[in-house]
Amino acid sequence: MTIKEIIEVTGAQLICGESNIDNIIEFAFSSDLMSDVLTQDSDQVLLITGLSNLQTIRTAEMADINYILIVRGKAISNDMIRLAEENHISLLQSDLSMFHISGLLYAQDLKPIF
Amino acid sequence: MMRTNYNVEGGDFTKAGNVASCVKKTLKQLNVNAKIIKRVVIALYEAEVNIVAHAYQGHVTIDIDDQYITMLLKDKGPGIEDIDLAMTQGFSTASAKVREMGFGAGMGLPNIKKNVDELTLESEINIGITLCLKVKLTE
């Protein structure tokens, strides 16, 4: 799926990282625990998370994750956007719950990493 | 050999990851394999978060030569009472604040160990910890 298709399916809003909009994403991982994200070997996945702080972006940077969808309508700070832009990370935001977003995307083409 | 030094402030989560971010840029410039870079920066980031989460102050020295990156992290803090227990997945003494940041699940040290080639950990109670991590940069 492309970011564009993810936006169409979930109604999420693109906060930054427009240049990635046509990139193809195959896998997704849902977690609020960054320690869990850091134990995954896969990269180039969509991270679906309700944790919205600088460490969310830092974790993605270290784990080579370029796409983050913040769920449950959590606020995204300007510092987060700045850091995401610096690292060419696309940030998306949705008011839906993690389960809802995961279900919508699972029903499409996105695969779990395990 | 290339040596860089950094200070890490305990409790300051806004800067946690700055060292790992700098090292990532350097290793990219040196054309190190992306999978190796990921192992290095994940271990370093976890170790940096540990200093921010548990210590008052820390100092990081990064040495890069043709073959290895050596990361020496020294902190002033409470130390670790039982190192074997701290290396056990799921054991944590992290505060609620640390957990709010998405950490503190007792996975840091085991994940660091998984990602490096060599790990030595020395601890003195109420003085601090010295953690030395080494990763081979060539395949």
Side-chain angles (χ1 to χ4, degrees):
Chain A
M1 281 182 98
T2 62
I3 293 272
K4 206 189 268 173
E5 289 166 329
I6 289 171
I7 291 170
E8 279 164 16
V9 168
T10 61
Q13 206 192 330
L14 183 73
I15 306 296
C16 69
E18 221 182 313
S19 55
N20 292 334
I21 203 151
D22 293 316
N23 291 10
I24 293 167
I25 303 166
E26 261 189 278
F27 297 94
F29 185 64
S30 303
S31 179
D32 282 352
L33 186 66
M34 293 304 108
S35 311
D36 259 347
V37 178
L38 289 168
T39 57
Q40 307 312 317
D41 290 328
S42 355
D43 39 37
Q44 300 308 326
V45 301
L46 170 73
L47 171 63
I48 300 166
T49 183
L51 188 85
S52 185
N53 60 41
L54 267 183
Q55 297 317 310
T56 311
I57 316 292
R58 278 288 184 221
T59 298
E61 179 193 352
M62 302 313 157
D64 291 331
I65 291 172
N66 292 326
Y67 320 100
I68 307 172
L69 202 169
I70 305 276
V71 295
R72 304 197 291 271
K74 300 287 174 191
I76 296 175
S77 69
N78 288 336
D79 284 345
M80 285 172 66
I81 297 171
R82 207 172 306 133
L83 193 59
E85 281 174 340
E86 210 181 288
N87 290 288
H88 312 289
I89 292 169
S90 292
L91 262 182
L92 291 90
Q93 190 184 34
S94 168
D95 287 336
L96 300 179
S97 69
M98 185 186 276
F99 181 76
H100 198 157
I101 289 283
S102 302
L104 287 173
L105 295 175
Y106 189 89
Q108 299 287 322
D109 281 338
L110 277 195
K111 299 184 200 85
I113 55 175
F114 64 88
Chain B
M1 194 179 76
M2 196 159 77
R3 168 168 286 189
T4 29
N5 289 290
Y6 304 89
N7 288 315
V8 179
E9 280 302 309
D12 187 358
F13 267 101
T14 60
K15 289 182 189 148
N18 282 5
V19 181
S21 185
C22 287
V23 169
K24 186 174 183 178
K25 287 187 185 93
T26 305
L27 294 179
K28 266 185 168 175
Q29 279 165 6
L30 293 171
N31 286 320
V32 175
N33 174 290
K35 285 209 171 357
I36 296 174
I37 295 181
K38 188 170 165 178
R39 282 172 50 217
V40 169
V41 299
I42 283 178
L44 183 55
Y45 178 48
E46 292 267 23
E48 221 182 316
V49 167
N50 278 350
I51 294 178
V52 175
H54 298 286
Y56 316 119
Q57 207 195 330
H59 189 81
V60 183
T61 305
I62 307 286
D63 286 331
I64 298 173
D65 62 26
D66 295 348
Q67 286 203 46
Y68 287 95
I69 179 166
T70 308
M71 300 167 271
L72 183 69
L73 298 101
K74 280 178 110 134
D75 74 42
K76 288 179 185 151
I80 298 175
E81 221 163 282
D82 185 334
I83 291 178
D84 286 342
L85 196 55
M87 295 298 294
T88 310
Q89 202 164 322
F91 176 81
S92 177
T93 60
S95 65
K97 190 183 161 198
V98 175
R99 288 170 202 262
E100 272 169 30
M101 299 307 293
F103 293 92
M107 295 166 76
L109 276 173
N111 198 25
I112 291 171
K113 198 177 175 186
K114 188 188 113 183
N115 282 292
V116 299
D117 294 314
E118 278 175 45
L119 178 154
T120 54
L121 176 60
E122 284 163 30
S123 167
E124 272 188 273
I125 295 300
N126 292 325
I127 292 176
I129 291 164
T130 302
L131 178 68
C132 186
L133 310 172
K134 210 168 169 178
V135 177
K136 198 165 190 275
L137 293 176
T138 49
E139 280 165 301

